[in-house]
Amino acid sequence: GAVVSQHPSWVICKSGTSVKIECRSLDFQATTMFWYRQFPKQSLMLMATSNEGSKATYEQGVEKDKFLINHASLTLSTLTVTSAHPEDSSFYICSARGGPLNSPLHFGNGTRLTVT
Amino acid sequence: RKEVEQDPGPFNVPEGATVAFNCTYSNSASQSFFWYRQDCRKEPKLLMSVYSSGNEDGRFTAQLNRASQYISLLIRDSKLSDSATYLCVVNSRAGSYQLTFGKGTKLSVIP
């Protein structure tokens, strides 16, 4: 079945540094990938839709200059949290669809970011 | 009205019990529906898609009522390993890949 790999699984960084998270589709091509964020005891919230070869589409309230998304190939999307602050500490998850519109999403294993 | 709304939970049930989760969605044009489960501090994993005619996978039964914009998940003979948060997920934007997640309902199966 479709597999999505996300790296790193967890990261601890100091306030002000930038963190890059990679999301790869391992056995299928994904023209579209999605980035979600989940705070403790909250639901998954879509941050942005990453489109291969074009600009990402950000959800309302998500700063595009802070959360840089690059989808340079059909199997790789990256999310860079720039100048991270403690309030950016969260669980970041990417996902991709390995089929048509009505097929389910497959998720990466998530990245737990802690900013100190 | 929220796009996808679920029972608030948590549900604490004994092993062997039958438990039902309900979910409503606001966009009548929604086309696809899923139940995911999410274990603590893990990514969501697909449990099952939900089809118009209803579908069953072992102890799990999913139902869809388009007229009422309502989805359900029934778990029979609950196991300890069923303890997780169950997410109702809807493709709420026609023609889009984007999915909207409910807040989830936490289930704890007790020995």
Side-chain angles (χ1 to χ4, degrees), chain B residues 44-85:
Chain B
K45 295 197 178 195
L46 177 68
L47 181 64
M48 58 198 304
S49 301
V50 186
Y51 303 118
S52 296
S53 54
N55 47 301
E56 187 175 305
D57 182 2
R59 299 181 293 110
F60 300 86
T61 301
Q63 297 276 355
L64 169 63
N65 184 323
R66 285 189 185 273
S68 302
Q69 294 176 208
Y70 170 92
I71 307 156
S72 67
L73 174 68
L74 187 76
I75 306 176
R76 291 181 299 278
D77 188 23
S78 300
K79 311 288 184 192
L80 295 176
S81 57
D82 293 333
S83 298
T85 295

Side-chain angles (χ1 to χ4, degrees), chain A residues 4 6 11 23 25 30 40 73 84 87 94 100:
Chain A
V4 176
Q6 189 172 339
V11 59
C23 180
S25 56
S73 76
E87 58 265 30
C94 72

Side-chain angles (χ1 to χ4, degrees), chain A residues 4-78:
Chain A
V4 176
S5 173
Q6 189 172 339
H7 178 80
S9 296
W10 58 271
V11 59
I12 301 173
C13 69
K14 290 187 177 180
S15 190
T17 59
S18 295
V19 175
K20 180 187 278 190
I21 304 169
E22 291 188 349
C23 180
R24 293 179 186 275
S25 56
L26 295 186
D27 54 358
F28 65 101
Q29 294 182 334
T31 54
T32 305
M33 291 186 176
F34 302 94
W35 288 97
Y36 291 86
R37 179 168 55 181
Q38 186 177 35
F39 291 106
K41 299 186 180 180
Q42 299 292 316
S43 62
L44 283 160
M45 296 299 296
L46 180 65
M47 297 176 66
T49 302
S50 172
N51 304 298
E52 187 268 335
S54 64
K55 290 182 180 180
T57 306
Y58 290 82
E59 294 299 301
Q60 192 172 11
V62 178
E63 299 175 57
K64 62 180 182 181
D65 294 329
K66 181 168 181 65
F67 299 99
L68 300 178
I69 291 173
N70 186 292
H71 195 151
S73 76
L74 286 170
T75 59
L76 174 64
S77 175
T78 61

